[in-house]
Amino acid sequence: MLILECPYCGVKAEETELAAGGEAHLKRFGPGSSDEEFHDYLFMRENPKGVHFERWRHANGCGKWFHAARCTMTLEVFGTYSAQTTEPPQEIKDKISEKRPDWTWRDIK
Amino acid sequence: MSDPVSAMSGATFAGLAKVEDSGLQGMITLRGDLASAVLQAAVKAATGAEVPVSGQVALSDQGGVAWMSPDELLLLVPYAEVDAKVSELSEALKGEHALAVNVSDARGVFRLSGEGAREVLGKVCPVDMSAEAFKPGQFRRTRMAQVAAAFWLDHDGVFHIVCFRSVAAYVFNLLSASAHPQSKVVVY
Ligand SMILES: [Zn+2]
């Protein structure tokens, strides 16, 4: 079972109170981008065994979107953070480095 | 004029706990900047209660205020006064980025009381319902089996449950099944 603490209301929400929103920190490529960039934006997703960043919505709760950093293999949660950011905050990256010193994700480490 | 009726027209069930339709309850959804002094004063004037912190409900003699999300409150007011309160709020919040809407007839409201009340909720919500974890004055939006719901515990040990009116019959039946006299678990 996955439990994530919603950073907006502080509720420790169990998975069934949340709605999964897929991969976090996608950069949109729209008009003016190349076909390849647009293709990658639409279809290419990370599928790691380990550290991953995701979007979740506190659907049966305050209704807000937020971000979560977790391990897809162990379900260990490194932390949750605001949706109003384009990359994980340093504090979250530090927490991951404590547990998984060699982690990388896309171009983030 | 049509006669307003509550979602389950006063239905009751008695088992491990007592489930009752609460009757007509005035409810206003208010969205805006909860830190705004203007909004806080308008809420106090409408309900007699202060804006609560997250996860809490503030109750007064004539109503109350529940914290729904970082930019949303649920105001509890007498059913007969709800339209007047919405007008007062809208007047007081002119110029603020805020919106008050009467949602009284869009909701079902129930009271859940008695010794087994915590257990009845614990069976159908993914929430720690122990007395140490869920205290009077606490407010929680969550999932009640398959539907969204919210509840708070007042200072007399009574739980108040709010759900969408379209699923009020489902919630009443669910709570009644969860309160079935032969379904005691004795966790709390
Ligand atoms: Zn939340």
Side-chain angles (χ1 to χ4, degrees):
Chain A
M1 187 166 68
L2 184 62
I3 294 175
L4 300 175
E5 182 172 333
C6 171
Y8 293 96
C9 67
V11 163
K12 287 189 175 60
E14 183 255 352
E15 200 174 336
T16 63
E17 294 183 279
L18 304 167
E23 188 177 325
H25 307 307
L26 292 178
K27 186 181 170 204
R28 185 172 186 272
F29 287 92
S33 61
S34 69
D35 284 356
E36 198 182 330
E37 284 170 333
F38 188 56
H39 166 273
D40 287 357
Y41 160 64
L42 281 184
F43 301 115
M44 299 309 282
R45 294 293 180 269
E46 295 299 294
N47 185 22
K49 181 181 177 186
V51 175
H52 197 26
F53 297 89
E54 294 170 316
R55 301 170 74 229
W56 287 85
R57 191 169 87 89
H58 194 187
N60 283 314
C62 73
K64 300 296 177 195
W65 283 98
F66 62 91
H67 284 132
R70 68 178 183 104
C71 175
T72 58
M73 188 168 62
T74 62
L75 289 196
E76 180 176 4
V77 176
F78 303 112
T80 54
Y81 52 99
S82 161
Q84 279 72 43
T85 175
T86 53
E87 62 174 275
Q90 192 58 45
E91 173 208 4
I92 295 285
K93 291 198 264 188
D94 291 345
K95 275 187 193 153
I96 300 171
S97 298
E98 265 175 43
K99 306 269 178 63
R100 309 276 192 283
D102 301 326
W103 75 278
T104 61
W105 186 85
R106 288 197 182 251
D107 53 0
I108 298 170
K109 47 186 114 175
Chain B
M1 281 296 282
S2 53
D3 264 344
V5 285
S6 59
M8 292 302 289
S9 314
T12 63
F13 177 87
L16 298 179
K18 194 171 179 198
V19 186
E20 300 163 273
D21 175 300
S22 299
L24 298 168
Q25 168 69 58
M27 281 172 279
I28 299 166
T29 285
L30 176 64
R31 296 200 83 145
D33 174 7
L34 305 192
S36 148
V38 176
L39 182 140
Q40 289 177 353
V43 167
K44 174 88 184 183
T47 63
E50 306 281 349
V51 172
V53 297
S54 69
Q56 296 286 315
V57 61
L59 299 167
S60 69
D61 292 339
Q62 69 260 47
V65 189
W67 191 95
M68 296 288 275
S69 91
D71 53 9
E72 181 178 342
L73 299 172
L74 179 67
L75 311 189
L76 306 164
V77 299
Y79 186 85
E81 296 170 24
V82 68
D83 283 326
K85 298 276 187 191
V86 169
S87 304
E88 282 169 32
L89 279 164
S90 303
E91 189 58 38
L93 293 169
K94 264 198 183 134
E96 290 275 303
H97 186 63
L99 183 67
V101 176
N102 175 8
V103 295
S104 312
D105 298 321
R107 302 276 187 271
V109 188
F110 300 99
R111 289 164 52 90
L112 180 67
S113 56
E115 231 173 89
R118 287 179 182 274
E119 180 165 313
V120 168
L121 283 176
K123 284 184 203 168
V124 293
C125 300
V127 179
D128 184 350
M129 292 309 303
S130 64
E132 306 81 61
F134 204 93
K135 301 194 172 97
Q138 248 172 277
F139 178 85
R140 180 70 141 82
R141 291 176 79 178
T142 184
R143 169 183 71 82
M144 205 160 271
Q146 302 194 45
V147 298
F151 56 82
W152 70 90
L153 176 58
D154 71 18
H155 298 280
D156 301 317
V158 179
F159 287 94
H160 299 261
I161 296 152
V162 180
C163 66
F164 288 116
R165 191 181 184 111
S166 57
V167 294
Y170 172 86
V171 167
F172 180 78
N173 290 335
L174 178 75
L175 292 170
S176 302
S178 184
H180 190 285
Q182 289 172 326
S183 69
K184 215 167 186 170
V185 184
V186 203
V187 176
Y188 301 125

